[in-house]
Amino acid sequence: MGRRSRGRRLQQQQQQQRPGSAEDGGKRNGAGWEGGYPEIVKENKLFEHYYQELKIVPEGEWDQFMGALREPLPATLRITGYKSHAKEILHCLKNKYFKELEDLEVDGQKVEVPQPLSWYPEELAWHTNLSRKILRKSPQLEKFHQFLVSETESGNISRQEAVSMIPPLLLNAHPHHKILDMCAAPGSKTTQLIEMLHADMNVPFPEGFVIANDVDNRRCYLLVHQAKRLGSPCIMVVNHDASCIPRLQVDVNGRKEILFYDRILCDVPCSGDGTMRKNVDVWKKWSALNSLQLHGLQLRIATRGAEQLVEGGRMVYSTCSLNPIEDEAVIASLLEKSEGALELADVSSELPGLKWVPGLSQWKVMTKDGQWFTSWDDVPHNRHTQIRPTMFPPKDPEKLQAMHLERCLRILPHHQNTGGFFVAVLVKKASMPWNKRPPKLQGELAEPRAPVPPSPAEPMAGCTSDTSELESKLAPGISDTGAVERAENMDSSGSKRDGVCGPPPSKKMKLFGFKEDPFVFIPEDDPLFPPIQKFYALDPSFPKTNLLTRTTEGKKRQLYMVSKELRNVLLNNSERMKVINTGIKVWCRNNSGEEFDCAFRLAQEGIYTLYPFINSRIITVSIEDVQVLLTQENPFFRKLSSEAYSQVKDMAKGSVVLKYEPDPTKPDTLQCPIVLCGWRGKASVRTFVPRNERLHYLRMMGLEVPVGKKREGAAAAPGAASPAEPEDGPGAPSPAEPEHGPGAGSPAEPEVGAGAEQEAGPDASSGGDPAEAGLPR
């Protein structure tokens, strides 16, 4: 027995001898304790008074609304849609796991078979009444629970609250769009956006990308973990205050131009009173003051997003709050200050099946102690620091009507058994008024302009350290989309030389959190690349300039790839942007790789990106071969089918690609292509596939591998690239964890090397990747 176990047992024995222990019926000092904690009473009179007064619920539905808030939130899961085998996962869920739940009872309660969300496309999102506690403790549901845990870690399923799936759908993103996710952690919405980029899996490098930002350095690593599961070269995680996120620049035909985004997701921090069903602390902590304190920040973030949106682009603003101070008031103020540059889009027909109520056009403001104000003129001077004019609806009826606030979507819990939510979709028609600049005549010195006085909600208030914004305001041009930042105004030397994108200097930006390793692009003449190109017969179209490492000195142990567009962003913004992570691992160094003619083996994480460019060392395998390779440690060549054997027997030792193509004439077999990384030894072949991904493929083939079962001659997870699983299921946002707002639980400590494999640390083979000691010889 370990020291901790002995300590816990001793503590339990001492507690049993004390008065007030379990022998006293669980009562201590006269207080009723349920499992050691007092039960939270789901009552808050001020909350009810506030929202009844504002009439946010249709007539006659108040009791249903409050009743729904007191019920636990159903668990919801989403099948990731960009992988070609999403339909196979759906088929497996519907025809195997869901069928096993029919007529099942747990603790006298009938288990409801999961149902698809009526408004989510292609039945890729489902909800169920199974709580986490029932899933984890019930022996009858153990298989289903292990399926959810394993598939979540593999990135094939995301456990996500139903309403949080709405904003990415309304963003209407396409593979060529440049997307900014301003407040991205923990990352469930970001993963949806990545899926949209990869709608066509035959295109390894979509033109678009996602830049996912979060102000909390620690939560950025949770975001990295979520995004990494999807294996995309088109995602970058950055760490900034969204209200003054720097304006980036890109190189366009040798000219520096400001980067504007086609789509922006603005899911702002909020009071979170729509999350009462999963975050029960809100019942006792709710106060009108929370919304008053957050309104200014929300408006600054939304304004900053609007500034960086391209003309014709779409921005979605969302909160998990029901409070108009955080919702319609922010939108109305943003529309008013935009002077027609922004308008609310009518999205009423975009998600058929989704029930919602229109946005409010009239509301009042209440202080913490219950005092109401209907207009800014009524607010006494001593309240001006707490209440702002932007919190009230516009006075002018015509202006208010022209805003069409009824186009905002309010999601109420009792309509479709969800949490509470608010969404508004904005389209940019022209430049923001303060960004319009007169054209500068060629060859003439520009007239110095008087600075524009900031409005009460000017986005840059308190963000004067953002030099890029100040520079862009001085840049010549006619409008936002025509804005060009001259190269002479930028420091184009230093860390950007030779493809090295280092961390930003502290004098330009406050550094906080963990210090990140640099991003170093492989030079075109690097002697490291030709052996790789020859060994794998890479196609001439392979974008080798997109390869990078995370070290400036010593041996390069891991090679990563980013898309051409993200390479452009990295090279031109290293001094204004704190990048936590980007790129997908495609090759890992072998300790003795040179003897196999190539020092680098393939990494499963990036094989779907790399495979279209590989023309050599490909072994076509059958479904039976895949089964053998995934269930046995080092199967001899003779265990493979005759077709696979004939391909592998004359091949040189080293890393290989194992490719399975489905047979449409056999509809009962696996109908999605599979690409696996392997190693051809002297007389055997081995796969290098993370444990959960291996289990995923076996399940898709109808095989259930018991947890803890070992592969022949090896541990159950040889070379598992994934970290150890936490008890609650890896990587998934906990149903009890709000995605934003004061109640958000801090994420687990970042994994060692999360966001950047430590290049200078132990050899890659001794880290999370397959141990080379087990390579077949």
Side-chain angles (χ1 to χ4, degrees):
M1 187 187 297
R3 187 187 302 170
R4 290 184 181 178
S5 300
R6 286 198 299 271
R8 278 197 296 267
R9 178 165 290 185
L10 183 62
Q11 196 175 20
Q12 288 168 359
Q13 289 170 352
Q14 290 170 344
Q15 286 175 346
Q16 286 170 1
Q17 294 165 6
R18 293 178 192 154
S21 69
E23 294 168 339
D24 295 326
K27 295 187 183 291
R28 186 174 179 182
N29 298 329
W33 284 41
E34 187 68 33
Y37 293 96
E39 188 176 343
I40 290 177
V41 179
K42 295 179 179 179
E43 294 283 347
N44 189 310
K45 295 299 179 188
L46 194 60
F47 170 87
E48 293 193 43
H49 167 66
Y50 182 74
Y51 283 124
Q52 278 182 313
E53 188 75 21
L54 291 178
K55 296 182 171 59
I56 65 161
V57 177
E59 196 72 33
E61 295 182 18
W62 181 259
D63 291 340
Q64 295 168 264
F65 169 74
M66 290 304 297
L69 281 179
R70 293 187 177 102
E71 290 295 317
L73 189 69
T76 46
L77 59 90
R78 183 174 57 79
I79 300 167
T80 57
Y82 84 83
K83 292 185 178 178
S84 58
H85 49 257
K87 289 182 180 175
E88 288 292 321
I89 301 170
L90 179 60
H91 181 267
C92 183
L93 268 173
K94 288 168 74 173
N95 294 286
K96 183 176 189 320
Y97 293 99
F98 291 168
K99 279 195 182 301
E100 291 175 3
L101 300 181
E102 291 175 5
D103 305 319
L104 185 64
E105 284 193 11
V106 176
D107 297 337
Q109 180 187 359
K110 189 177 187 310
V111 172
E112 174 194 315
V113 177
Q115 298 296 318
L117 296 178
S118 60
W119 45 268
Y120 201 95
E122 301 182 65
E123 287 194 340
L124 291 177
W126 295 70
H127 69 96
T128 172
N129 68 342
L130 294 170
S131 68
R132 288 166 65 84
K133 184 179 177 183
I134 291 174
L135 269 177
R136 291 177 61 193
K137 304 297 182 188
S138 169
Q140 305 101 303
L141 296 170
E142 185 181 359
K143 250 196 238 181
F144 184 44
H145 179 238
Q146 289 304 328
F147 170 83
L148 291 179
V149 168
S150 181
E151 293 298 312
T152 299
E153 178 61 18
S154 300
N156 301 308
I157 279 179
S158 176
R159 282 177 278 172
Q160 179 180 353
E161 191 180 345
V163 288
S164 89
M165 302 176 193
I166 297 170
L169 291 177
L170 291 176
L171 207 56
N172 193 26
H174 295 284
H176 63 279
H177 283 150
K178 300 173 181 67
I179 306 169
L180 173 64
D181 190 350
M182 298 188 77
C183 309
S188 51
K189 298 180 186 70
T190 310
T191 57
Q192 275 180 274
L193 297 173
I194 297 171
E195 292 161 26
M196 293 171 185
L197 284 184
H198 292 273
D200 183 356
M201 278 304 289
N202 294 318
V203 180
F205 293 101
E207 286 181 42
F209 56 77
V210 176
I211 293 180
N213 173 69
D214 202 82
V215 68
D216 188 323
N217 184 260
R218 290 179 62 193
R219 283 170 68 84
C220 280
Y221 291 93
L222 180 60
L223 180 56
V224 167
H225 180 66
Q226 288 274 62
K228 278 283 183 186
R229 297 177 305 150
L230 294 179
S232 170
C234 305
I235 168 74
M236 179 187 287
V237 176
V238 299
N239 181 200
H240 290 278
D241 177 353
S243 65
C244 46
I245 190 168
R247 193 188 281 277
L248 305 182
Q249 64 174 10
V250 287
D251 188 293
V252 180
N253 300 321
R255 260 189 354 167
K256 297 286 193 289
E257 293 194 1
I258 292 173
L259 171 62
F260 290 95
Y261 301 94
D262 303 295
R263 298 287 187 267
I264 294 181
L265 181 56
C266 191
D267 186 52
V268 296
C270 66
S271 61
D273 60 16
T275 68
M276 283 178 148
R277 299 182 67 178
K278 66 173 182 180
N279 186 26
V280 291
D281 275 358
V282 177
W283 282 98
K284 60 180 181 180
K285 292 180 178 177
W286 187 90
S287 164
L289 184 61
N290 295 337
S291 298
L292 300 178
Q293 290 174 334
L294 284 163
H295 169 87
L297 173 65
Q298 292 162 339
L299 181 54
R300 288 197 300 276
I301 293 174
T303 307
R304 189 61 176 148
E307 285 183 329
Q308 303 220 18
L309 190 64
V310 74
E311 288 177 33
R314 178 179 277 209
M315 181 173 90
V316 170
Y317 174 90
S318 62
T319 76
C320 53
S321 169
L322 299 168
N323 201 322
I325 306 302
E326 302 176 64
D327 299 340
E328 287 90 349
V330 173
I331 297 300
S333 180
L334 184 59
L335 290 172
E336 189 167 19
K337 67 193 291 189
S338 78
E339 297 176 8
L342 298 173
E343 74 172 36
L344 273 169
D346 182 358
V347 293
S348 55
S349 60
E350 291 193 17
L351 288 180
L354 178 67
K355 294 179 182 174
W356 52 278
V357 293
L360 304 176
S361 56
Q362 290 296 330
W363 61 89
K364 298 183 288 184
V365 178
M366 187 180 82
T367 60
K368 182 182 179 182
D369 50 9
Q371 186 179 0
W372 289 96
F373 298 104
T374 54
S375 74
W376 171 246
D377 298 335
D378 301 334
V379 181
H381 189 74
N382 63 347
R383 296 277 191 178
H384 281 192
T385 53
Q386 186 184 88
I387 298 175
R388 304 298 299 147
T390 53
M391 296 177 182
F392 295 90
K395 280 184 180 179
D396 186 342
E398 287 185 14
K399 190 184 284 186
L400 182 62
Q401 189 176 0
M403 288 181 179
H404 294 290
L405 292 177
E406 72 280 356
R407 291 178 179 173
C408 299
L409 276 58
R410 285 183 155 266
I411 317 294
L412 299 178
H414 62 291
H415 284 164
Q416 283 179 304
N417 200 11
T418 64
F421 211 68
F422 174 86
V423 192
V425 181
L426 295 152
V427 175
K428 190 170 183 178
K429 296 296 185 181
S431 300
M432 302 301 278
W434 55 89
N435 283 136
K436 291 180 180 175
R437 295 176 292 275
K440 186 180 187 180
L441 296 176
Q442 293 295 323
E444 290 186 22
L445 290 174
E447 289 285 328
R449 292 192 297 125
V452 179
S455 66
E458 178 65 34
M460 293 312 298
C463 295
T464 53
S465 62
D466 185 1
T467 56
S468 64
E469 172 63 12
L470 299 177
E471 287 164 346
S472 70
K473 285 193 174 184
L474 297 173
I478 299 169
S479 64
D480 277 358
T481 49
V484 175
E485 250 181 292
R486 291 189 178 278
E488 58 264 30
N489 290 337
M490 307 304 302
D491 180 10
S492 57
S493 61
S495 64
K496 278 176 274 188
R497 192 162 43 230
D498 300 325
V500 179
C501 309
S506 54
K507 64 183 178 183
K508 285 225 174 188
M509 184 187 308
K510 182 183 176 186
L511 283 174
F512 47 91
F514 302 94
K515 185 180 178 183
E516 294 300 325
D517 291 333
F519 296 84
V520 186
F521 284 95
I522 306 290
E524 287 204 50
D525 57 352
D526 196 311
L528 169 147
F529 185 70
I532 296 176
Q533 188 167 28
K534 181 181 176 184
F535 190 73
Y536 296 103
L538 295 178
D539 194 86
S541 65
F542 178 75
K544 62 181 180 181
T545 56
N546 296 4
L547 281 174
L548 61 86
T549 64
R550 299 298 303 271
T551 180
T552 50
E553 50 193 46
K555 269 192 175 182
K556 299 175 177 66
R557 300 193 183 280
Q558 324 270 4
L559 298 183
Y560 303 85
M561 281 205 81
V562 294
S563 65
K564 178 181 69 176
E565 289 76 15
L566 277 187
R567 179 183 189 274
N568 193 344
V569 173
L570 262 177
L571 286 175
N572 288 288
N573 299 282
S574 64
E575 294 193 346
R576 60 185 62 208
M577 179 174 66
K578 182 174 181 186
V579 181
I580 299 296
N581 185 274
T582 192
I584 180 171
K585 183 162 59 181
V586 286
W587 279 293
C588 306
R589 182 181 287 276
N590 293 322
N591 279 338
S592 52
E594 284 78 0
E595 68 183 80
F596 304 114
D597 300 323
C598 180
F600 287 86
R601 62 170 174 79
L602 298 163
Q604 182 67 26
E605 183 182 314
I607 192 60
Y608 284 95
T609 297
L610 207 54
Y611 174 73
F613 301 100
I614 298 175
N615 293 309
S616 176
R617 306 196 61 77
I618 299 172
I619 302 169
T620 305
V621 292
S622 66
I623 192 75
E624 292 78 18
D625 292 331
V626 174
Q627 187 174 327
V628 167
L629 289 162
L630 292 177
T631 55
Q632 298 183 24
E633 171 62 29
N634 292 319
F636 290 109
F637 299 156
R638 288 289 181 191
K639 290 195 175 183
L640 301 177
S641 63
S642 57
E643 293 85 355
Y645 174 76
S646 63
Q647 297 170 69
V648 75
K649 66 182 176 64
D650 298 324
M651 196 176 278
K653 284 186 191 177
S655 193
V656 294
V657 177
L658 303 156
K659 177 67 188 292
Y660 163 74
E661 284 288 355
D663 185 349
T665 63
K666 298 177 181 176
D668 292 337
T669 59
L670 190 65
Q671 288 299 300
C672 63
I674 294 177
V675 184
L676 306 175
C677 290
W679 186 271
R680 195 269 192 204
K682 187 175 181 180
S684 61
V685 182
R686 166 183 187 174
T687 54
F688 280 161
V689 181
R691 175 178 177 272
N692 285 309
E693 196 168 338
R694 186 178 68 251
L695 294 178
H696 160 72
Y697 290 130
L698 290 171
R699 284 197 193 94
M700 295 304 103
M701 292 186 286
L703 296 174
E704 193 69 45
V705 181
V707 177
K709 182 175 178 182
K710 304 197 172 187
R711 297 206 308 189
E712 286 185 23
S722 55
E725 293 178 11
E727 274 188 15
D728 291 338
S734 157
E737 181 196 340
E739 297 201 4
H740 31 222
S746 63
E749 289 289 342
E751 300 161 20
V752 175
E757 271 78 1
Q758 300 300 313
E759 300 281 358
D763 190 275
S765 62
S766 62
D769 295 293
E772 288 166 17
L775 290 178
R777 296 292 175 189

